Amino acid sequence: MSAKIMTEHEPSAGALQQEAAPAASGAPGWLTPRRLAWPLAVFAVALTVRLLLVSYVNPDPADGRYDDSVWYDYNARSIAAGKGYVWDPAIWVTADGSPVYADDTDVGPSAMWPPAYPALLAGIYKVTGDSLIAGKIANALLGAATALLVCLIGRRMFGETAGAIAGFGVTFLPSHIFFTAVTMSEIFFTFLFVLLLYLALVWTMSEQRPRLWQLGAIGFLTGMAALTRGELMLFPVVLFALFMAARRSWLTAVQWTAVVAVGMSFALLPWIVRNRIQMDAWIPGTTGMGRVLWQAHNPDADGGDSLDVLIPEQEFSDLPRPEREIVQNRELREDAVSWALDHPWKEVELFFRRIYRLYRNDNAGVAWVQSNKPWFERDGADRLMALSNGYYFAILGLAIAGAPAWLAMRRHRSDTMLLLAPIAYYTLLFGVFFIGTTRYHQPLLPLFVLLAAAPVALLLDIIRTSWRGAAAQMEG
């Protein structure tokens, strides 16, 4: 098979000129000092801000919290020690140290949460002797790299000024900063998500023809992201839409998506095989899916979190692990689907409730730092939440009001699909299937920042042009 997949049209003259300019200097355009200046500045400032945060804000997952950070940290240590990915009820305690599962001592293999982030932490812990701060420094590096990638995407889509503004917009994004301080998958997943979109933009939405290995790499990265947060299992649907927008051919889009699917399968296969061997079941995702679906589709559902229905352990306590997880997952999934089909009008109402809860504010970063064992005093936490929400609504307002600007400034008509299609995907996914909580919109924040950066950059360019014109008249 050819190393390249054929496309339907030739590069435009403008695109050829754009690519030819850096080539004349003898180096790729992004390697020239002028082109590196803003991305490196964004990375340096973003890293500094996040390192300053974790030097002061350093909650311990083992301090009595009852949240996902406990699971990720414990299993990272377990994997690093060679004990594997397991469920251990002893790690779950209340803020006063009381065990949550006092009568449960059954430890066994688990697939309750996706494995990629604890595997990353395990590697860090293995090298650093279980250093919690080292894991959070890794979060800081990933967060800074995310800001850099946003700068590169913005520059490619809307120009140099917009790229710099977008990069610094993510640099100072409060919720993104605060999630650096907890052992949660948000920072790692957002990095993978933005890297995936950057590679899709560079390799498949340019005039150049993508190579098979590039499409395969996009698929592998999609698989790794899905093993970090399960909602990306269906993301090839979005990639198919992007391929259609870029090439306007069903055949090409199908070919590219098939290669992506193959690459994705290589990422998922080790996890599937592990689950078949250790759990005696075919599990491509997690055994937590049934619990999450039941949380969203049950008689008491209101569109948001409900821990009371999330953990109906007593119904399955007579089963040993890992059978307990498998049966629980299957029965709760079936119950959730059955309830949703029996209550269609309630589901319509819940759809709008979930979307509202998904986007209603952006204080999740501070809230998770405060989980169970608050790090800040109440007044300080309230001020930080207000700051985070204010930043978020300013970004959303600019993104919405600036639609004419980012539509006018885009390099290609298909570029905005790179930002809008994932937003639509997340909105539908959480509106239809899962609960709506503001933590889950974290991967979309860089996209909102990119859309907000375009009108600000356009305004600055207008002002700069006016000043130059006025200066020229004065000199004349």
Side-chain angles (χ1 to χ4, degrees):
M1 184 177 290
S2 171
K4 297 182 179 180
I5 295 179
M6 298 296 292
T7 59
E8 290 71 34
H9 54 274
E10 295 300 321
S12 65
L16 288 171
Q17 291 173 359
Q18 187 179 31
E19 296 298 326
S25 66
W30 62 273
L31 280 178
T32 60
R34 189 180 72 83
R35 298 281 282 172
L36 281 172
W38 282 120
L40 290 180
V42 165
F43 179 83
V45 175
L47 181 60
T48 301
V49 169
R50 284 153 178 77
L51 290 177
L52 287 173
L53 176 83
V54 298
S55 69
Y56 173 69
V57 181
N58 187 29
D60 188 342
D63 66 3
R65 295 167 184 271
Y66 186 76
D67 59 34
D68 293 2
S69 69
V70 179
W71 172 275
Y72 288 129
D73 175 71
Y74 172 82
N75 267 290
R77 298 175 191 277
S78 177
I79 295 169
K83 298 177 182 178
Y85 200 48
V86 300
W87 173 278
D88 184 349
I91 69 174
W92 302 107
V93 296
T94 61
D96 64 4
S98 303
V100 173
Y101 305 108
D103 300 326
D104 188 0
T105 59
D106 194 0
V107 179
S110 179
M112 189 67 72
W113 272 266
Y117 182 62
L120 172 70
L121 274 183
I124 296 168
Y125 287 171
K126 186 73 174 179
V127 172
T128 62
D130 289 351
S131 170
L132 180 62
I133 194 65
K136 296 181 180 184
I137 290 173
N139 278 352
L141 288 165
L142 291 167
T146 302
L148 183 151
L149 286 169
V150 168
C151 177
L152 296 178
I153 292 173
R155 182 173 69 185
R156 193 175 183 92
M157 291 180 64
F158 304 125
E160 191 87 33
T161 303
I165 292 170
F168 282 114
V170 173
T171 292
F172 297 107
L173 192 60
S175 59
H176 195 258
I177 294 171
F178 277 102
F179 267 118
T180 308
V182 290
T183 53
M184 299 275 285
S185 61
E186 268 62 27
I187 298 299
F188 181 47
F189 178 74
T190 302
F191 166 75
L192 292 178
F193 187 67
V194 174
L195 177 60
L196 173 60
L197 296 181
Y198 174 71
L199 293 180
L201 175 65
V202 173
W203 287 345
T204 72
M205 304 188 74
S206 67
E207 300 295 346
Q208 294 181 338
R209 304 165 184 172
R211 297 179 181 274
L212 289 178
W213 72 265
Q214 292 173 331
L215 293 170
I218 288 173
F220 187 84
L221 185 59
T222 303
M224 292 304 299
L227 289 175
T228 307
R229 291 283 295 273
E231 60 258 33
L232 245 63
M233 282 290 184
L234 300 177
F235 200 70
V237 174
V238 175
L239 293 173
F240 175 80
L242 296 179
F243 300 157
M244 277 291 298
R247 301 299 172 186
R248 305 177 191 87
S249 164
W250 283 91
L251 180 58
T252 299
V254 168
Q255 289 176 332
W256 291 8
T257 306
V259 179
V260 165
V262 171
M264 189 174 179
S265 68
F266 277 98
L268 298 176
L269 190 59
W271 173 243
I272 295 172
V273 171
R274 175 266 182 191
N275 291 335
R276 180 60 188 170
I277 295 172
Q278 295 194 10
M279 310 267 307
D280 196 26
W282 295 108
I283 306 170
T286 70
T287 53
M289 179 61 70
R291 292 156 55 118
V292 174
L293 287 173
W294 178 245
Q295 189 182 23
H297 308 275
N298 70 82
D300 299 317
D302 63 1
D305 297 29
S306 177
L307 291 179
D308 292 336
V309 300
L310 182 61
I311 313 173
E313 290 288 327
Q314 65 278 4
E315 299 180 21
F316 308 94
S317 59
D318 58 327
L319 297 174
R321 295 191 185 278
E323 183 184 359
R324 185 186 308 183
E325 279 188 26
I326 297 165
V327 173
Q328 181 188 60
N329 180 48
R330 182 179 66 248
E331 293 192 8
L332 290 180
R333 184 178 66 241
E334 292 172 354
D335 289 347
V337 172
S338 177
W339 188 89
L341 293 176
D342 289 342
H343 301 82
W345 293 113
K346 180 65 174 178
E347 282 294 318
V348 172
E349 175 192 342
L350 287 172
F351 174 82
F352 293 102
R353 285 179 176 270
R354 293 175 196 130
I355 292 174
Y356 166 71
R357 289 177 178 272
L358 181 65
Y359 294 118
R360 63 179 174 172
N361 60 49
D362 191 46
N363 56 31
V366 179
W368 281 82
V369 168
Q370 295 292 96
S371 175
N372 281 26
K373 288 288 186 74
W375 189 266
F376 299 104
E377 296 294 333
R378 178 63 181 270
D379 289 346
D382 287 345
R383 285 193 290 271
L384 289 171
M385 286 185 176
L387 171 65
S388 188
N389 288 336
Y391 197 103
Y392 170 70
F393 287 119
I395 293 295
L396 279 187
L398 282 169
I400 294 170
W406 47 258
L407 286 171
M409 293 174 66
R410 59 188 174 175
R411 187 190 56 162
H412 294 304
R413 185 169 60 179
S414 60
D415 280 358
T416 48
M417 279 288 290
L418 185 83
L419 307 181
L420 299 182
I423 294 172
Y425 172 82
Y426 259 77
T427 301
L428 288 173
L429 192 71
F430 285 93
V432 174
F433 296 109
F434 307 127
I435 62 167
T437 180
T438 55
R439 171 192 164 198
Y440 294 146
H441 74 227
Q442 289 298 309
L444 300 182
L445 292 178
L447 310 190
F448 298 153
V449 171
L450 281 161
L451 293 173
V456 177
L458 182 61
L459 179 61
L460 290 177
D461 286 342
I462 291 172
I463 292 173
R464 185 162 52 235
T465 301
S466 299
W467 285 350
R468 286 174 179 171
Q473 287 181 353
M474 291 177 63
E475 289 177 0

